[in-house]
Amino acid sequence: MDIPAHLGRMGVALTAAQLQGLSLSEAPTLLLAVPGSGKTTVLVARAAALLDAGVPAEEMLNLTFSRNSARDMEDRFRRLFAGCFPSAPRFSTLHSFCYRLLREFGRQEGRPVPGVVGAEGAPSSEVLIRKAVEAVTGSRPDPDLLTDFAGWVGFAKNRMLAPGSRPPGAPPVFPEVLARYEEEKRAAGLMDYDDMPLYAARILRSRPALCQGWRQRFSRINIDEAQDLSPAQYAVLRLLFPEGRGLFLVGDEDQSIYGFRGASPQELLRFAQSFPGAEVRKMEENFRSRPEILSCCGGFIRLCPERYAKTLRATREKGGRVEQVLPSSMEDAYGEAAALLRELPPGQTAGVLYRNNLTAGPLAGFLREKGIPFRLEPAPAGICRGPIALQNAFLRLCARPGDLEALRRLRFPGELDGGLFEEVFLRADGRQTVPQLLRDCAGRRDHGGFARKLAVLLEDCRRRTPVQALEQFERRTLLGERLAARSEKGDPALCLRERQFRHLCARAGDYGELEGLLRRAEAPEPFRPEEAAVSLSTIHGAKGLEFDWVLLLDAFEGILPGRTALEDLAAGSPQGYYEEMRLFYVAATRARERLVLFSAPKSWALRDSRFFSDFFRRRGTPQVSLPEVGAGTAVSHRVFGEGVVSAREGDALTVAFADGNMKNLSLSYCISKGLLKVLHGDFR
């Protein structure tokens, strides 16, 4: 079967670069695919070419990053090659493959396979992590901290950190919390999704005969979105394909934006070193965006040093637009966005992108008021964090006085903590309301006064309208004043949270009773997927999508790039900053026809993202002569202290510091800033 000719009859014409993907070579191959280069079509066509060459479907693994991507590939194969082959290949995620391996091992050994955290009837990871944090710290964590701990746990597993090590930003108690979390899971007979590659790798290492059997099952493996795989997932691949024979990866290190989950572009960058004889090929033609957009995108991403040399080549004619909007206020920014969206030509789509879901609520509410249909990609759940979560928890307790989970989330700084919190939950038996429990606890000398005041406040606000309840809440906590004051000082995250706070306050006037407001606040904004041409999404949520127009909001210093990334950059650890660059690049490359970047409102004490100047003005990357320093070198860092280099890949150093933290550092940056020195002698 002539696969290219068949695709041509289906209206899909493969270019010379795309035809590389149909090669039947068994050499380990990395195909670098720029945004909009048609990589999914190439992978599907490759699967067909292998079937046509006589490779049985059951000997072929086709893996991708997410279930949605796997379904998309499967649907596309059926659409393009329906009836062409006796059997179709299987498309799945690497996690599902690892789970399949674990189940078979369990059957062979007569051992039960752990259940999955969060599955039907099983406790969620949030519940288990909360128990672990409470056991280690002796106090109940707020929801924000639980979210952070969940991220750190996933990062530690995917990066395969040594016991006792801490992910960047994690507190000193993290190793204890992780150990306790693992105990909770084992006691419940559970594993989480991040355990699956780790367990699979452990089994393959400890059972050579089993590992050899699985190696013989598969002669070919095709992997999509390879830049999103973690070291733990690569460990499974190396065990199954130690020489890389039949291994075919498609990815783009420029689109590696899941470092917080443990993904690392370093795995792609050292592909040729990991698999001797490997081939690295490129698909540099972009079929999506106009040249005006690609010119800015290509010049910008070349400033990131952790990448292969690639060129974004436009296949479409000129006619695109790249613009910058200078709003005077956030309301003005939303108004400008609404005005632009009304100009969207019929039949075209627009993506309004932002860094995190703190923007989703206010933006969705504004567009709804203006009568602009939209959909959320995906519909955010639990978009309120920090002070906004406090406000919602208070309203829930007013309307639903028996809601203990709301009490769990109600955190008055310095007041509702320790003894009172624990005593309320200890006394709870399902029959008393929270105000009653607070009154019962009011006799305690250390917090009796606050317990009584809170009980009175909750009972009083229960009889009030939403607006009156919010006024009482704000008067009691001064939350609105604190947020506004801190926003004026230029804290970007608090600016977004203050915006969200004011948004909910404004909505309260539409409701005469608390329960109605809560139902509205807890539900996602209405979206109409069938008729809406406008999509609202975080940048991460828009990965893999494309739009005719892209409007990028919240590109402020401290948001994009984020504050932590900027702090790490100043300390000589730029990997987080490089990922922020890639995130900006991914957002911009979603646009086909028009890209609109929104500056920081003039009324806020915020600065535009530094990425703006780099995006609109191309410049070269300075070259630095790197010293001979490698694994085993003892070093001292001005911020992180003493440590030992565990690995070096070009400019990238991995250093194990004395406090147990592992840091990825840029050697050139550390040298230029005087941040790093060898403990015994100078760099040589």
Side-chain angles (χ1 to χ4, degrees), residues 169-383:
V173 298
F174 173 78
E176 296 177 67
V177 171
L178 177 59
R180 186 60 182 251
Y181 171 66
E182 295 300 306
E183 291 174 10
E184 295 285 351
K185 281 196 302 158
R186 282 194 294 270
L190 298 172
M191 65 179 170
D192 57 35
Y193 282 98
D194 296 318
D195 287 326
M196 295 177 184
L198 290 175
Y199 290 175
R202 191 178 304 163
I203 290 170
L204 292 171
R205 286 195 193 96
S206 62
R207 301 291 197 278
L210 176 72
C211 185
Q212 184 62 30
W214 278 84
R215 287 174 186 169
Q216 293 173 351
R217 286 190 193 188
F218 304 105
S219 60
R220 302 288 184 146
I221 177 170
N222 306 313
I223 300 179
D224 191 18
E225 304 287 5
Q227 76 280 349
D228 295 330
L229 299 180
S230 69
Q233 294 164 340
Y234 272 102
V236 175
L237 298 180
R238 291 192 187 97
L239 286 163
L240 289 175
F241 298 83
E243 299 176 357
R245 185 174 179 177
L247 182 62
F248 186 89
L249 274 62
V250 178
D252 181 12
E253 79 288 354
D254 290 336
Q255 299 182 74
S256 179
I257 59 173
Y258 290 102
F260 62 92
R261 295 180 182 172
S264 170
Q266 298 299 326
E267 299 295 335
L268 288 190
L269 293 173
R270 54 174 161 253
F271 182 80
Q273 289 73 38
S274 300
F275 301 101
E279 299 176 5
V280 178
R281 304 173 182 175
K282 301 175 184 178
M283 290 198 314
E284 299 175 299
E285 292 176 305
N286 177 291
F287 301 94
R288 174 188 301 160
S289 306
R290 296 284 187 180
E292 294 85 351
I293 298 171
L294 293 184
S295 176
C296 292
C297 293
F300 173 77
I301 199 60
R302 280 198 292 272
L303 301 178
C304 184
E306 293 187 339
R307 64 187 301 271
Y308 289 97
K310 299 189 295 293
T311 301
L312 275 171
R313 296 181 183 145
T315 60
R316 302 183 63 196
E317 296 180 352
K318 291 184 177 181
R321 298 169 65 181
V322 180
E323 308 159 57
Q324 188 173 0
V325 173
L326 306 172
S328 58
S329 66
M330 190 48 63
E331 291 70 25
D332 183 42
Y334 288 172
E336 290 275 1
L340 285 170
L341 294 174
R342 288 196 181 95
E343 298 174 2
L344 185 68
Q348 293 197 0
T349 60
V352 186
L353 309 185
Y354 35 81
R355 175 59 188 271
N356 56 56
N357 272 321
L358 287 171
T359 295
L363 176 60
F366 184 90
L367 294 182
R368 187 168 69 91
E369 292 168 3
K370 299 299 181 182
I372 297 176
F374 64 89
R375 57 184 175 185
L376 294 168
E377 300 278 3
I383 63 176

Side-chain angles (χ1 to χ4, degrees), residues 586-647:
V586 166
T589 54
R590 300 309 93 195
R592 288 192 287 257
E593 304 285 341
R594 188 176 185 182
L595 174 63
V596 185
L597 308 178
F598 282 72
S599 292
K602 297 176 182 177
S603 61
W604 286 14
L606 296 174
R607 292 187 293 123
D608 286 344
S609 170
R610 64 186 63 191
F611 295 156
F612 279 14
S613 60
D614 290 337
F615 192 77
F616 288 110
R617 184 180 64 253
R618 298 168 60 177
R619 57 184 175 83
T621 305
Q623 300 296 313
V624 180
S625 178
L626 302 180
E628 294 296 324
V629 57
T633 304
V635 297
S636 177
H637 191 279
R638 198 168 68 196
V639 176
F640 305 126
E642 296 183 0
V644 176
V645 177
S646 59

Side-chain angles (χ1 to χ4, degrees), residues 434-456:
V434 169
Q436 290 171 336
L437 291 168
L438 289 168
R439 291 184 185 279
D440 289 346
C441 298
R444 289 179 60 98
R445 179 175 54 84
D446 55 341
H447 53 232
F450 176 71
R452 280 191 295 270
K453 291 177 183 177
L454 180 57
V456 171

